[in-house]
Amino acid sequence: MRVSARRAGSWWGRGGRGVAAGLGRLCALPVRAGASVLGLWLALGLGAAAAAPPASGPTAAAALPYPPAVAARFPDPAEAYPTPGLQPGREAWTDNAELAAALRTLAGAGAAELLELGRTETGAELLALRFSRAPGRPVALVVGQQHGNEPAAGEALLALAMQLANPGHPVAAVLAKIDVVLLPRANPDGTALGRRSNAAGLDVNRDHLLLQTREAAAVAALVAQWRPVLFVDVHEHLALGRHMPALGGIKRHDLLIQFATTPNLPPALAALAEQGFRQPLLQALDAAGISHEWYFTNPREPEGRLLTMGGMQPGLARNAGGLKQMVSVLLESRGFDLGRLHAPRRVHSHVVALHSLLGSAAAQANSLPRQLAEVAAEVSALACRGSLVIEAAPTRRVRELLLLDPDTGADQPVQVDWDDMLALQPLAVRSRPCGYWLAPDATEAVARLHRWGVRVQTLPAPRRLQVERYTETARGPAGPRASVSAAREAPQRVAVSLQPGTLEAPAGSFYVPLDQPLAHLVAAALEPDTAHAWFTHRLLPRLDAVQRVMAPP
Ligand SMILES: [Zn+2]
């Protein structure tokens, strides 16, 4: 079945009154808050917002993009969250000033430490909270709203912060085992502008290899400082837009979930994520009546039936997280193109998932750091041995996906083509070097490596090195997904061949050994023909400024 524009139009025409009344009732639901949370809520100055009249029905109804039978598949949760943006009568999500005030209030009450991570290009503060009851505990890092226009993500992290600050809340029990660092809104400029990208038009979520944005650099600094064992990246997906109607249905799932999916991830890390985190997560979501599916992106073409399990570029936050040896999980609620529709449920989906993930981290607090250290040791031991995957492709298959009938809201199975990122096929492979040599003027690259906490040696005296040099053999547009900016001129991606030789490395040049845990992050950045390669983005001055060192120096 296809959804035609005409039919969508007919729904608009008959829309009306019943929906308006329904939404009016939803908005009038009382907030059920515990006394301590209520106290905090009053301290945040939200009493006035609570007294405001409910949203006008006609405004809300005008935003309803599908029949009530579809909307009925997404009832509001029983839980209410006392964030500014979810107050009865509110039509706007928590804004930047409200969020900053709320985080300061929580920190000021002694519940958490406020981490000031700097400011964006427009001067907006990047603020995180660190919940820690004792030193030396494993850390879980949760980052929300790298995409400014995905509001339920930031709202959910603020709701979680308020719960963690309340010793009586069940989720606060995780703090007996782990520390939690929350960056609720990683892209406040995007939020203020109502858009995905930051003020410079860059996609923060794709910038975790290049670190061109202050926002991604702030996340990198958090990781380098606190060395989390768990990284959760919180987003919202497109529920309606970009060609889903061509598949004959409406996206059904409350939450889409994904791990790191990029070449050269240690298999043991994927096993830890699957058994230690995703399986308990699915159980928790099922128990809460929250539907879930693997993360996928919508068809790129109007008649397309190909769904892709997200990207494999190493610069994506969740992929960089995996290459940094963290259990890395992506959560995407439904969906940022719905305006305020289903707002409490979207927030609730994230909160339930985050409770589960933090609970799993706490339950494994004694074993997880050791297991991750073993994974890191295995990666370090691979230097000078085996092979690196430079480029890979997903495994394409046909599968059944559940959508919703656009008229009745009933489950509607459809056959789709599915690019499976959990089964990557190597396309280009080369030997893994012992390390990389960098020319003395590759200072920009060295500075970025230092930001990650990568060990870089400065050669104190000239040294003869056995190397492989790159020679450019072809050049072409890197494609939109290799860039962090759709607006900027597409970077040129190169193809290379390798020539063995010796290098008389001068004093003051650099050596980046691969016998360290971040080896595959280093390789993704320094090999010149990967997606998001630093050479492609002019972070290396010349192609011969990086060379592969093939024997231990
Ligand atoms: Zn997003």
Side-chain angles (χ1 to χ4, degrees):
M1 182 190 299
R2 304 252 155 170
V3 182
S4 68
R6 188 178 54 77
R7 199 163 92 207
S10 72
W11 157 243
W12 279 97
R14 67 182 189 240
R17 192 170 300 163
V19 179
L23 284 184
R25 279 199 301 277
L26 294 186
C27 291
L29 279 176
V31 174
R32 289 191 328 181
S36 57
V37 175
L38 186 62
L40 174 66
W41 175 63
L42 292 171
L44 292 172
L46 302 175
S56 70
T59 305
L64 196 67
Y66 36 57
V70 176
R73 294 295 304 264
F74 305 98
D76 276 1
E79 290 82 350
Y81 298 100
T83 62
L86 289 182
Q87 293 309 302
R90 277 281 293 231
E91 293 191 41
W93 300 84
T94 300
D95 67 23
N96 286 339
E98 289 171 324
L99 177 64
L103 298 180
R104 288 210 151 80
T105 298
L106 292 169
E113 176 190 0
L114 186 72
L115 304 178
E116 297 180 291
L117 309 176
R119 290 178 181 269
T120 67
E121 283 184 48
T122 70
E125 290 182 292
L126 292 165
L127 297 175
L129 285 182
R130 173 174 173 257
F131 293 85
S132 178
R133 292 189 184 166
R137 288 188 172 150
V139 176
L141 170 62
V142 187
V143 173
Q145 244 181 317
Q146 294 194 75
H147 292 146
N149 61 344
E150 299 174 6
E155 208 75 37
L157 264 65
L158 177 56
L160 178 64
M162 295 167 86
Q163 293 173 341
L164 288 169
N166 174 1
H169 194 283
V171 75
V174 303
L175 298 174
K177 294 285 187 182
I178 60 170
D179 292 355
V180 178
V181 176
L182 302 178
L183 172 56
R185 184 169 287 159
N187 179 8
D189 288 345
T191 301
L193 295 164
R195 71 188 197 193
R196 177 183 179 89
S197 60
N198 74 355
L202 299 174
D203 187 331
V204 175
N205 186 42
R206 308 184 87 80
D207 189 38
H208 293 271
L209 204 64
L210 300 168
L211 300 183
Q212 293 178 312
T213 65
R214 298 186 187 194
E215 295 87 351
V219 174
L222 278 178
V223 172
Q225 180 170 9
W226 302 108
R227 296 281 166 202
V229 294
L230 172 66
F231 172 69
V232 190
D233 185 20
V234 184
H235 290 251
E236 292 208 272
H237 61 84
L238 259 178
L240 303 168
R242 216 175 73 192
H243 314 319
M244 280 310 285
L247 286 171
I250 292 174
K251 263 168 132 175
R252 173 187 188 274
H253 297 98
D254 290 307
L255 211 57
L256 304 182
I257 303 162
Q258 184 60 287
F259 302 140
T261 54
T262 194
N264 306 307
L265 281 175
L269 192 65
L272 281 176
E274 172 65 26
Q275 288 145 30
F277 290 87
R278 196 178 79 97
Q279 288 304 326
L281 171 60
L282 300 189
Q283 288 177 20
L285 296 174
D286 288 340
I290 294 168
S291 59
H292 50 80
E293 178 54 87
W294 287 107
Y295 173 63
F296 60 91
T297 55
N298 296 11
R300 297 201 164 267
E301 309 299 331
E303 297 302 312
R305 304 188 69 81
L306 174 62
L307 307 182
T308 303
M309 291 177 77
M312 70 180 101
Q313 298 86 352
L316 290 172
R318 72 184 149 84
N319 289 338
L323 292 173
K324 292 178 178 180
Q325 317 292 344
M326 300 182 283
V327 172
S328 179
V329 184
L330 171 74
L331 301 175
E332 301 244 1
S333 60
R334 178 190 189 276
F336 72 83
D337 53 345
L338 294 176
R340 289 283 291 184
L341 188 60
H342 312 312
R345 186 177 181 91
R346 287 150 62 189
V347 172
H348 180 63
S349 301
H350 280 310
V351 172
V352 170
L354 290 167
H355 285 185
S356 170
L357 293 170
L358 295 181
S360 293
Q364 300 169 88
N366 293 330
S367 59
L368 193 59
R370 175 178 50 77
Q371 290 169 310
L372 290 173
E374 288 170 5
V375 171
E378 285 169 24
V379 169
S380 299
L382 292 172
C384 308
R385 296 199 289 122
S387 56
L388 280 175
V389 178
I390 301 299
E391 185 162 18
T395 301
R396 185 162 301 178
R397 57 191 174 90
V398 175
R399 61 159 288 191
E400 186 178 283
L401 181 73
L402 278 185
L403 298 176
L404 297 179
D405 182 288
D407 282 336
T408 69
D411 282 354
Q412 177 165 301
V414 296
Q415 296 286 312
V416 297
D417 298 323
W418 183 261
D419 266 355
D420 188 343
M421 291 288 168
L422 300 174
L424 292 179
Q425 314 275 351
L427 292 182
V429 172
R430 65 180 57 125
S431 64
R432 184 184 286 101
C434 301
Y436 295 91
W437 172 83
L438 291 172
D441 59 347
T443 48
E444 191 58 47
V446 170
R448 278 171 163 75
L449 292 169
H450 281 148
R451 278 198 224 169
W452 285 335
V454 168
R455 181 161 44 92
V456 180
Q457 300 167 7
T458 304
L459 298 184
R463 183 94 56 93
R464 174 171 295 182
L465 299 174
Q466 185 182 330
V467 297
E468 287 181 347
R469 293 186 178 84
Y470 302 101
T471 300
E472 185 176 323
T473 57
R475 177 177 287 243
R481 280 186 269 180
S483 173
V484 298
S485 167
R488 188 173 283 186
E489 183 187 347
Q492 298 282 299
R493 190 164 174 186
V494 296
V496 296
S497 63
L498 299 175
Q499 283 75 45
T502 55
L503 169 71
E504 304 294 338
S509 61
F510 304 98
Y511 178 60
V512 189
L514 285 195
D515 60 345
Q516 55 181 319
L518 300 185
H520 290 151
L521 192 72
V522 170
L526 294 182
E527 293 284 345
D529 49 348
T530 63
H532 295 171
W534 282 358
F535 176 71
T536 302
H537 292 82
R538 302 184 181 88
L539 297 179
L540 287 162
R542 306 166 307 282
L543 191 52
D544 66 359
V546 57
Q547 300 189 23
R548 292 156 52 85
V549 177
M550 303 311 291

